[in-house]
Amino acid sequence: MSLARFLIKRLLQGVFVVWGVVTIVFGLRVIAPGDPANVLLPPDVAPEVREQVIADLGLDEPLYVQYWDFITGIAAGVPEGLFNILTGEPAGPMGLGTSLTTGTSVASRVGRSLPATLELAIAATIVAVVIAIPLGVISATRRHQPADYGATLFSLAGISTPNFWLGVMLIIVLSVQLNLFPTSQRAIGIPGVFDLLVSGQIVAAAEGLRTWLWYITLPAITLGTYFTALITRLTRSGMLDELGKTYVRASRAKGLPETLVRYKHVLRNTLIPIITVVGLQLGTLIGGAVITEFVFDWPGLGQVLINSINSRDWPMVQGSLIVIAVGFVVVNIVVDTLYTLVNPRVGFD
Amino acid sequence: MPENGTDRRGFLKYAGGAAVTASLAGCLGGGDGGDGTDTPADTEAEETEDGGGGEETDTGDGGEELPDFPVTITQGNMPSGLDPHDHRETPTDVVMLHAYEGLITRDAAGAAQPALATDWSRVDGEDAAEFQTRSDVTFHNGDTFVAGDAAYSINRIVDPDTGFASPQSDQLAGVSGASAPDDSTVRVTLDGLNPIVFSEFATYCDIMQQSWVEERSKSEIGQQMNGTGAFQLDSYTQDEQVVMTRYEEYWDDPAEVSELTFTAASESSTRVNQLLQGETDIIVNVPPQEVNRVNNSDAGSVSAAPSTRILYNGMRYDVEPFSSQEFRQALNYAIDLESIVSNVLGGFGAQTGQPTLPEFVGHNPDVDPYPYDPDEAERLIDESGHAGVEIELNTPVGRYLKDLEIAQAVAGYIDELPNVSASVNQRDFGSLTDELLTGNIEDKPPWFLIGWGEATFEGALVMTALLSTDGALSTWSNEEFDSLLETAGNSTGDERVSALQEANALANEQAPWIFLNQQFSVYGVSNRVSWEPRSDERIDAYAMSQA
């Protein structure tokens, strides 16, 4: 199968998945308790006003009509919405809708939070990869030695530690007691740094980048810990698998230096499946950042999602979920494509 | 520690500067096509840096006369927008009150005080009231405030014909419209006597400038500010922060606080950590278990004030066993409210025995909370004929200070009685309020925990909403009680107060609720700031000074 056909096939599958998510999201709104009209109206409002609001929101229509309006609205709005998300501009009425509580465009709100979440997910991935791969290699090459036990212990602790607890502990110890990091929030984002750079303020941009790093360190560690532990384990077992294969023995027999065997051949083959996991996990991190964002008051999609759920701001909930789902699908397609490109043994089928 | 805060502010300004440059470039680039009315560039400038220029003015004129004293306030939620007439939430109100003012305001004790009006009175022989306004007031854009602006603002709230449906119309209940016979008089027309009209104006109705509002779209009004208050908007990033600066031309003395930043963190431990680290100066809703951590730190301390919110257990008078007065009284005797307040709430609460709180008009000082008397409770239950019944308390979780724990304590005490068993049903707040708000008593759960805040300090409004036969949340009906409220609604002065006090005594005796606690507002306050919390949940930076 050619690359083009492969991409078309995967894109169609992606659209199908997004449609499924959108349908589930719609279903959730229908079964969730809490009337959106109560969000907008004071308790003692006249019944006719309440009815008017419900009619304005289209909530008095039969479910299939609501569903059709919802789907067609998104289908018409997604191209525009995506464009707005990318440019950060406010969307029109056909975008992802308007927030019930603030009356502003969902697409632009989601668009403004998306960079914060992406930054966090990518930073957590970098933390994980930078720590996990060397740790996994050390663990595999010094099997049953203290270093291996140490790495195993670290992975176990990492996998078993709940995110929110780790986050709160890091804040209490490193921020409040030792005063090394800020406790929460995000003073400046990568787009802000980029703006500074574009406008020629090089020194300010460098300072901005430092501030960004200073603010993102603890959330990135919190979010990345589980992932670090996972990749350490994967690298270790993958490496051990590879080390036991015939080509390794052949290479050694040929007299290749051990470092070359380990790092050029074995590690390279080990990394192929890890790329897939890293890619897939990046998608998970975008969705899974919710708790970390909550603890660190990080202004990303997770915060938007939680606040919107609390206020029953359904258009906002739907908008955030759809963007998270689309992100997941896109990451998946990219990973699959890269995987097939990197590993010639896997074809486009 | 303050270094962190400065750093953060510094970078927000850097980032802001870049956005201004970018948007300027945008305007210049599109200059040959028009005059910069291009929405994207404009919106960006407004959203992030409305007051890039304001900052310059700040340092340009008078920056040296007054001390540099920035303060940050962290609430649980950000404002839903910046239109003072288009919201119903306290966190939004707290931001609004710094930029917008009403005709009358309240002091920390709740008493009405002059604001934009210096004098107010009923107009004899007519269903109307008149306000005399100040002449030396300017809006933040430099224009002079006139009575017409106040009349317009009142109409914007109560009159749908202005093209704007304000969710606050019922907060000015009984007000039908306003006009300005001259530049310093506002005449408000009323549906009837409306004994609480000045209480309403002391709490609600922020004054906006008519021309400023009319020149702007709904979304622009929600993103910008132009009031007469002691602080003017510097920048607004929706859902992230609001920055205001001292308004030097304020009609009263300028504020001591030079820059005021509002941020939000919905997780209470995050707020506490921010305070301890010196990243913020005032935080709301410190949970009782965090109080010691704050008080034992060098960063600040906890400060509490009784709020205007009352918590109670409503009971439906139309279903058994709650239809029995003896049974309802028995539940009040069964709980040790004193112990709940001191142990569950850590002392951050006050016992109640009537629907009207002590700070409110109509409170009856002779009515005490029910004492803890399990023997009397057991006897009354036997007498009611409902011995052996099983009841279930519906409670929201996390909506009020320790709501679930209070509910568990209440159900626990009642369950200890030998002749009744009680349990707790944890509910989603949204679905519980849906059931309470339908207007049909049959839709409501028979026994529930809920809270009600009333910023006007009027007991009559609480009792009408919660206990009158047609009240929005009512689960009780009593003819004598209704007629007392009616008497109060048609009278003023002592006659009105004594009718309300009688209604409170009747409510205590009839026990339509299990009377619980008055909620306290618990704040964490940095050592840098000297500030006393208020009953009405207003965090007023104008009253803050350097400690």
Side-chain angles (χ1 to χ4, degrees):
Chain A
M1 194 187 286
S2 71
L3 178 62
R5 278 194 64 187
F6 171 79
L7 280 177
I8 290 169
K9 192 180 145 200
R10 293 308 314 266
L11 278 174
L12 286 177
Q13 284 173 347
V15 169
F16 189 74
V17 170
V18 170
W19 172 70
V21 170
V22 167
T23 306
I24 292 171
V25 165
F26 176 83
L28 286 177
R29 197 210 75 198
V30 174
I31 58 170
D35 186 341
N38 286 340
V39 176
L40 299 168
L41 298 168
D44 43 356
V45 74
E48 54 272 19
V49 176
R50 185 177 297 274
E51 277 162 28
Q52 183 59 48
V53 169
I54 289 172
D56 289 348
L57 292 175
L59 297 174
D60 56 343
E61 302 275 1
L63 271 185
Y64 66 89
V65 176
Q66 289 187 40
Y67 178 69
W68 179 249
D69 290 348
F70 181 57
I71 290 280
T72 48
I74 289 170
V78 157
E80 186 192 2
L82 285 178
F83 177 75
N84 288 326
I85 284 167
L86 292 175
T87 56
E89 283 171 16
M94 292 304 282
L96 293 169
T98 50
S99 155
L100 291 183
T101 50
T102 64
T104 49
S105 147
V106 170
S108 70
R109 178 75 192 89
V110 169
R112 271 191 296 114
S113 338
L114 194 61
T117 298
L118 284 179
E119 281 169 20
L120 187 54
I122 292 169
T125 308
I126 293 172
V127 166
V129 169
V130 166
I131 298 176
I133 292 180
L135 211 59
V137 171
I138 293 171
S139 192
T141 51
R142 303 193 185 160
R143 201 176 174 191
H144 300 316
Q145 288 176 25
D148 183 23
Y149 295 134
T152 308
L153 196 66
F154 172 82
S155 319
L156 262 179
I159 287 176
S160 339
T161 308
N163 261 357
F164 63 88
W165 183 84
L166 180 68
V168 170
M169 283 299 127
L170 287 175
I171 292 173
I172 290 177
V173 177
L174 296 181
S175 300
V176 177
Q177 303 213 328
L178 299 177
N179 198 14
L180 295 175
F181 292 98
T183 64
S184 45
Q185 300 195 328
R186 166 177 175 261
I188 187 168
I190 290 295
V193 174
F194 187 71
D195 282 346
L196 289 172
L197 205 60
V198 168
S199 61
Q201 303 176 59
I202 308 293
V203 181
E207 255 323 82
L209 192 65
R210 192 189 69 85
T211 309
W212 176 78
L213 275 172
W214 190 43
Y215 273 84
I216 206 170
T217 304
L218 295 190
I221 291 175
T222 305
L223 187 60
T225 301
Y226 172 83
F227 192 22
T228 309
L230 187 73
I231 298 186
T232 307
R233 300 299 297 161
L234 271 175
T235 314
R236 181 182 182 272
S237 58
M239 192 92 176
L240 285 176
D241 263 4
E242 290 290 323
L243 281 171
K245 288 190 177 159
T246 354
Y247 77 91
V248 176
R249 261 178 289 156
S251 314
R252 282 178 182 152
K254 264 194 331 192
L256 276 183
E258 185 62 20
T259 38
L260 204 64
V261 176
R262 278 184 192 169
Y263 300 111
K264 183 147 188 275
H265 299 289
V266 173
L267 183 58
R268 204 172 159 189
N269 286 336
T270 310
L271 286 181
I272 292 172
I274 290 177
I275 292 175
T276 326
V277 176
V278 170
L280 291 180
Q281 286 290 322
L282 183 64
T284 318
L285 287 182
I286 293 173
V290 174
I291 290 171
T292 309
E293 286 185 7
F294 197 62
V295 170
F296 286 93
D297 199 12
W298 190 258
L301 269 184
Q303 286 265 15
V304 175
L305 192 57
I306 293 276
N307 291 335
S308 318
I309 290 172
N310 283 337
S311 57
R312 293 189 167 57
D313 191 344
W314 275 105
M316 203 67 115
V317 174
Q318 288 162 344
S320 326
L321 286 178
I322 289 167
V323 168
I324 290 174
V326 170
F328 204 95
V329 168
V330 169
V331 169
N332 258 299
I333 294 174
V334 171
V335 168
D336 278 3
T337 317
L338 279 182
Y339 188 70
T340 40
L341 289 176
V342 169
N343 189 353
R345 283 177 295 180
V346 182
F348 289 113
D349 48 33
Chain B
M1 267 189 294
E3 195 197 358
N4 301 344
T6 325
D7 252 10
R8 183 165 171 277
R9 283 191 183 100
F11 285 108
L12 291 171
K13 278 178 187 163
Y14 271 135
V20 167
T21 322
S23 56
L24 271 180
C27 282
L28 287 175
D32 52 354
D35 58 358
T37 43
D38 224 1
T39 15
D42 267 8
T43 317
E44 186 181 358
E46 281 151 17
E47 258 184 29
T48 42
E49 280 356 277
D50 199 37
E55 203 177 286
E56 278 162 35
T57 355
D58 188 31
T59 44
D61 62 12
E64 273 142 25
E65 291 164 25
L66 287 158
D68 191 25
F69 178 40
V71 166
T72 302
I73 297 172
T74 303
Q75 308 189 78
N77 298 97
M78 283 305 286
S80 55
L82 297 185
D83 184 338
H85 299 159
D86 195 13
H87 73 91
R88 295 273 302 199
E89 321 92 12
T90 311
T92 308
D93 238 354
V94 167
V95 174
M96 293 303 150
L97 68 93
H98 293 93
Y100 290 101
E101 295 175 292
L103 289 166
I104 321 177
T105 186
R106 290 181 189 280
D107 61 17
Q113 296 289 325
L116 292 181
T118 51
D119 204 12
W120 53 93
S121 56
R122 291 177 177 283
V123 181
D124 286 338
E126 292 178 52
D127 288 337
E130 269 189 8
F131 295 85
Q132 299 303 317
T133 60
R134 282 181 202 281
S135 55
D136 52 348
V137 177
T138 52
F139 285 100
H140 297 153
N141 61 0
D143 296 348
T144 306
F145 156 75
V146 288
D149 293 317
Y152 172 77
S153 302
I154 296 165
N155 289 328
R156 189 167 184 253
I157 294 174
V158 301
D159 185 1
D161 293 343
T162 53
F164 171 74
S166 172
Q168 298 168 355
S169 54
D170 64 303
Q171 293 179 335
L172 295 182
V175 173
S176 49
S179 60
D182 59 61
D183 275 356
S184 61
T185 309
V186 184
R187 170 173 284 227
V188 174
T189 48
L190 308 172
D191 289 347
L193 180 63
N194 195 354
I196 60 161
V197 62
F198 297 120
S199 280
E200 291 177 334
F201 275 102
T203 306
Y204 304 117
C205 191
D206 288 322
I207 303 302
M208 304 178 82
Q209 186 187 9
Q210 177 167 9
S211 58
W212 186 85
V213 173
E214 286 174 346
E215 284 160 12
R216 277 166 179 76
S217 70
K218 188 169 184 282
S219 114
E220 286 171 330
I221 297 167
Q223 307 271 333
Q224 306 169 17
M225 287 179 130
N226 178 44
T228 58
F231 295 90
Q232 58 184 339
L233 183 68
D234 182 81
S235 71
Y236 171 51
T237 316
Q238 197 194 345
D239 290 331
E240 282 182 35
Q241 64 164 10
V242 181
V243 182
M244 294 179 173
T245 50
R246 173 167 55 213
Y247 180 46
E248 307 280 351
E249 312 303 322
Y250 187 51
W251 55 268
D252 205 346
D253 294 332
E256 199 173 325
V257 173
S258 58
E259 188 184 69
L260 182 61
T261 305
F262 291 93
T263 59
S266 36
E267 168 59 33
S268 59
S269 70
T270 304
R271 291 196 298 271
V272 170
N273 287 324
Q274 288 178 348
L275 178 74
L276 297 185
Q277 175 67 349
E279 291 166 7
T280 186
D281 300 301
I282 309 277
I283 58 169
V284 300
N285 299 337
V286 178
Q289 69 273 16
E290 298 265 35
V291 167
N292 282 337
R293 193 153 77 96
V294 175
N295 281 338
N296 294 338
S297 77
D298 301 332
S301 56
V302 162
S303 200
S307 79
T308 57
R309 190 176 299 281
I310 188 170
L311 262 69
Y312 66 96
N313 284 165
M315 293 177 271
R316 263 174 60 181
Y317 82 113
D318 60 329
V319 292
E320 289 187 344
F322 303 108
S323 50
S324 152
Q325 185 193 346
E326 286 83 10
F327 190 84
R328 298 193 304 258
Q329 286 177 327
L331 298 191
N332 274 287
Y333 281 117
I335 63 165
D336 186 352
L337 189 55
E338 193 182 345
S339 162
I340 292 177
V341 167
S342 64
N343 296 324
V344 176
L345 292 167
F348 293 114
Q351 301 177 57
T352 68
Q354 57 185 306
T356 299
L357 295 170
E359 294 82 1
F360 283 31
V361 177
H363 175 77
N364 189 332
D366 299 329
V367 172
D368 290 324
Y370 277 80
Y372 176 47
D373 190 343
D375 297 334
E376 176 68 2
E378 190 183 337
R379 189 187 68 74
L380 281 167
I381 285 175
D382 284 337
E383 198 180 304
S384 75
H386 294 294
V389 76
E390 284 178 24
I391 51 178
E392 187 182 64
L393 177 57
N394 289 266
T395 181
V397 182
R399 182 71 183 189
Y400 310 108
L401 190 65
K402 297 274 168 189
D403 45 13
L404 175 63
E405 291 82 352
I406 294 172
Q408 284 168 335
V410 166
Y413 279 116
I414 292 169
D415 201 46
E416 275 174 21
L417 297 175
N419 52 357
V420 61
S421 61
S423 59
V424 170
N425 180 16
Q426 297 181 30
R427 296 288 307 274
D428 170 77
F429 182 72
S431 66
L432 182 60
T433 44
D434 280 353
E435 290 171 16
L436 293 175
L437 288 172
T438 59
N440 272 332
I441 194 166
E442 290 81 19
D443 296 333
K444 299 176 193 187
W447 188 31
F448 55 90
L449 182 147
I450 204 88
W452 186 267
E454 181 53 65
T456 57
F457 293 80
E458 286 290 345
L461 293 181
V462 182
M463 289 191 277
T464 305
L466 307 181
L467 290 168
S468 69
T469 299
D470 298 322
L473 262 82
S474 194
T475 48
W476 189 52
S477 175
N478 181 294
E479 276 178 29
E480 192 186 346
F481 187 83
D482 286 347
S483 80
L484 283 167
L485 284 185
E486 202 184 324
T487 310
N490 294 316
S491 54
T492 53
D494 290 346
E495 194 190 341
R496 174 167 184 267
V497 171
S498 73
L500 292 174
Q501 288 182 338
E502 224 178 299
N504 275 301
L506 181 67
N508 173 275
E509 183 204 324
Q510 290 282 329
W513 300 348
I514 302 179
F515 296 98
L516 297 176
N517 60 293
Q518 174 178 20
Q519 184 166 298
F520 276 23
S521 305
V522 188
Y523 300 93
V525 183
S526 146
N527 288 338
R528 295 175 61 230
V529 178
S530 165
W531 173 71
E532 287 302 318
R534 304 164 49 122
S535 286
D536 53 10
E537 299 183 2
R538 286 184 158 210
I539 306 172
D540 185 4
Y542 189 67
M544 291 175 192
S545 54
Q546 265 174 301

